[in-house]
Amino acid sequence: MKKLLTALALFALPILASAQIENPVKWSFSAKKVNANTYEVHAIATIEAGWHLYAQEAGEGPVPTSFKFTKNPLATLDGKVTEAGKLHKAFDKNFNSELKYYENTVDFVQKVTVKGKAATKVKGSVEFMVCDDHQCLPPKELEFAVNVGGK
């Protein structure tokens, strides 16, 4: 009986291990004061080795990284989200397209102007997709909120 249970456990382990949800991207969100009323909201993606995260202008095929911001009467977005990181460009036979992506880390930056001296939050969500050499994970959407303004 012990041998049967041991054999069943050994066969079940790989199945249980593969059932875990992979999450090869860790996000951190912060704000940096630039001057009296201007802030930079940083969304930093740390990507596990072997995986890549697509740029906002990724190319044809994969879901590009995109940001949606909740309207806030106390904060105005200045321009578009910029990207700071080592941008890679390569032809991907799976998508039959040249794609733009990041490995290791990338910092997405949105400038924000706060009205007056009010403390508020910049809220929104980021949608992203990651792939490795063998697979792509379904796109994910992650909500965030960052404090800006005030003292």
Side-chain angles (χ1 to χ4, degrees):
M1 187 66 164
K2 277 186 178 180
K3 287 182 181 179
L4 178 63
L5 286 175
T6 303
L8 283 173
L10 288 175
F11 285 116
L13 274 174
I15 294 167
L16 292 173
S18 68
Q20 292 179 351
I21 297 171
E22 290 192 69
N23 191 16
V25 180
K26 303 287 185 252
W27 289 89
S28 64
F29 302 92
S30 63
K32 178 182 172 187
K33 190 171 187 172
V34 176
N35 63 38
N37 290 13
T38 305
Y39 291 79
E40 289 179 345
V41 173
H42 291 264
I44 299 172
T46 304
I47 307 149
E48 286 182 14
W51 291 89
H52 53 267
L53 172 77
Y54 291 101
Q56 295 176 95
E57 301 289 331
E60 293 296 316
V63 174
T65 300
S66 63
F67 290 85
K68 293 178 196 162
F69 292 92
T70 305
K71 289 194 185 247
N72 181 338
L74 299 176
T76 306
L77 303 179
D78 298 337
K80 295 181 178 183
V81 176
T82 60
E83 302 171 355
K86 185 176 180 187
L87 183 64
H88 296 270
K89 294 179 188 177
F91 183 82
D92 187 317
K93 64 180 189 245
N94 296 315
F95 291 107
N96 197 29
S97 177
E98 181 168 278
L99 301 177
K100 297 176 187 172
Y101 58 88
Y102 293 94
E103 296 175 337
N104 303 317
T105 187
V106 58
D107 184 4
F108 295 94
V109 183
Q110 173 66 61
K111 283 193 176 180
V112 177
T113 300
V114 178
K115 294 180 182 171
K117 297 184 180 193
T120 188
K121 289 183 186 263
V122 173
K123 295 180 182 179
S125 63
V126 57
E127 183 180 25
F128 62 98
M129 181 174 163
V130 292
C131 296
D132 65 9
D133 291 340
H134 308 293
Q135 65 180 330
C136 291
L137 298 181
K140 286 187 181 180
E141 190 167 358
L142 179 67
E143 293 185 358
F144 62 87
V146 179
N147 293 321
V148 293
K151 294 182 184 179

